[in-house]
Amino acid sequence: MSASLKLTADQSRLLSIAVASLFLSTFAAQAADFGSGEQAAPAAPDPERFGPVRQALHDWHVVIGAGAVLTPKYEGSDEFEVSPFPFVSAEFFDRITIDPTGIEIKAIEKDAFRFDVNVGYDSGRDEDDADMLRGMGDIDFGVTVGGKATYTFGPANVFVSVDKTIGGSEGLLATAGASLSQPLSEHLILGAEASATFADDNYMEAYFGVNSTQSSRSGHAQYKAGAGIKSVDLSASATYLINENWVVKGEQGVSFLVGDAADSPIVKEKVQAKTLLMLGYRF
């Protein structure tokens, strides 16, 4: 299975959970009405009956959309692929956010400080994703759990996050950086972010190391990748509010592999670019 298909499949699992959460209460109410009353003849749809549903979607800050992302075939590849993706996000009780990356829970918020816990996923890697990975074996899907601390200075944020993968690489990633979001007009919002990511031995060995078995199967020289700074990442984004409901977002990111990650024999390009474009509808 290609990386893009795996990404789409992983996002679909999370989207299914989000959609089920959004509409479960409505279905339950309809089922209760059916069980408690006598069966009646079909009636013409009443537009007003959907008013509470639309209000709930508005209260939950629901956004539904779709987009496409251009990424390297794997981390370190010099080949690119385009992957379409669906998008659903919602916020419950002003504390729980669900989107294609996972679930985020606001645990602490005091003045300018905020701490979130999150559950997400690492889609892993398939040796069929690219010719350079032949014989390297697959890295399985894993669930990630972690936390993120953020301190806000006006339009700027400084953050530190830590995520541990359960299954798959069994790796740990820690990221420190700063982000900025600044409205330029009623319709246009610009954003920027700079960060550095640290990876432990498990992650580095899984994604950049080459053991003796992999070496004999792939032809790559054996390579030991140790813990350290994996990459320095920069991104810029533009969000345009077409009207009250429709929004389009574009984002361009670039990641510079450094240290043992950059020196891996499977890395063909140390500068990794990512381009995203998405159209969404806000209720």
Side-chain angles (χ1 to χ4, degrees):
M1 183 183 292
S2 71
S4 61
L5 292 178
K6 286 198 299 181
L7 178 61
T8 302
D10 297 335
Q11 290 176 332
S12 297
R13 295 189 189 102
L14 293 170
L15 290 175
S16 298
I17 296 172
V19 172
S21 300
L22 293 177
F23 296 105
L24 182 59
S25 60
T26 302
F27 291 158
Q30 292 176 344
D33 292 342
F34 178 82
S36 61
E38 297 180 359
Q39 186 171 0
D46 180 4
E48 293 186 1
R49 72 179 297 183
F50 296 104
V53 175
R54 175 171 285 276
Q55 183 61 46
L57 295 176
H58 176 76
D59 293 342
W60 295 337
H61 308 290
V62 174
V63 178
I64 298 177
V69 59
L70 175 69
T71 58
K73 288 188 173 182
Y74 67 91
E75 197 170 17
S77 175
D78 60 353
E79 299 178 287
F80 290 83
E81 61 186 359
V82 177
S83 306
F85 64 89
F87 182 90
V88 174
S89 70
E91 182 179 322
F92 303 94
F93 315 112
D94 294 324
R95 187 169 294 273
I96 302 172
T97 301
I98 299 177
D99 63 27
T101 65
I103 301 173
E104 182 178 83
I105 302 173
K106 186 193 304 179
I108 301 172
E109 186 172 31
K110 183 176 178 58
D111 299 327
F113 176 79
R114 171 172 169 172
F115 181 77
D116 302 312
V117 296
N118 57 73
V119 178
Y121 66 93
D122 179 348
S123 57
R125 190 181 71 191
D126 196 308
E127 68 172 9
D128 294 331
D129 290 345
D131 291 340
M132 285 293 293
L133 299 178
R134 303 288 184 182
M136 292 294 293
D138 298 338
I139 302 174
D140 294 334
F141 174 94
V143 175
T144 62
V145 294
K148 180 178 182 180
T150 305
Y151 197 88
T152 301
F153 300 90
N157 294 316
V158 176
F159 63 88
V160 176
S161 66
V162 177
D163 292 284
K164 170 66 177 176
T165 302
I166 301 172
S169 68
E170 294 289 348
L172 181 144
L173 292 176
T175 301
S179 63
L180 175 70
S181 180
Q182 182 65 51
L184 291 188
S185 70
E186 183 180 352
H187 295 280
L188 180 62
I189 303 171
L190 298 183
E193 182 173 302
S195 63
T197 299
F198 168 91
D200 72 350
D201 287 328
N202 289 340
Y203 185 96
M204 294 293 287
E205 273 296 293
Y207 282 96
F208 299 103
V210 181
N211 60 34
S212 58
T213 301
Q214 292 171 325
S215 177
S216 63
R217 291 177 178 175
S218 67
H220 300 310
Q222 293 188 46
Y223 182 73
K224 176 71 173 178
I229 301 297
K230 174 184 75 74
S231 63
V232 175
D233 309 298
L234 304 172
S235 68
S237 65
T239 302
Y240 187 77
L241 310 177
I242 300 173
N243 55 35
E244 183 179 351
N245 301 109
W246 288 99
V247 57
V248 61
K249 178 178 181 178
E251 182 175 319
Q252 179 62 56
V254 60
S255 177
F256 301 89
L257 295 177
V258 297
D260 284 4
D263 296 335
S264 171
I266 69 169
V267 170
K268 301 293 290 181
E269 177 56 65
K270 298 178 183 180
V271 181
Q272 302 281 280
K274 174 183 176 181
T275 305
L276 177 146
L277 184 63
M278 186 195 80
L279 177 67
Y281 182 87
R282 303 182 303 167
F283 286 89

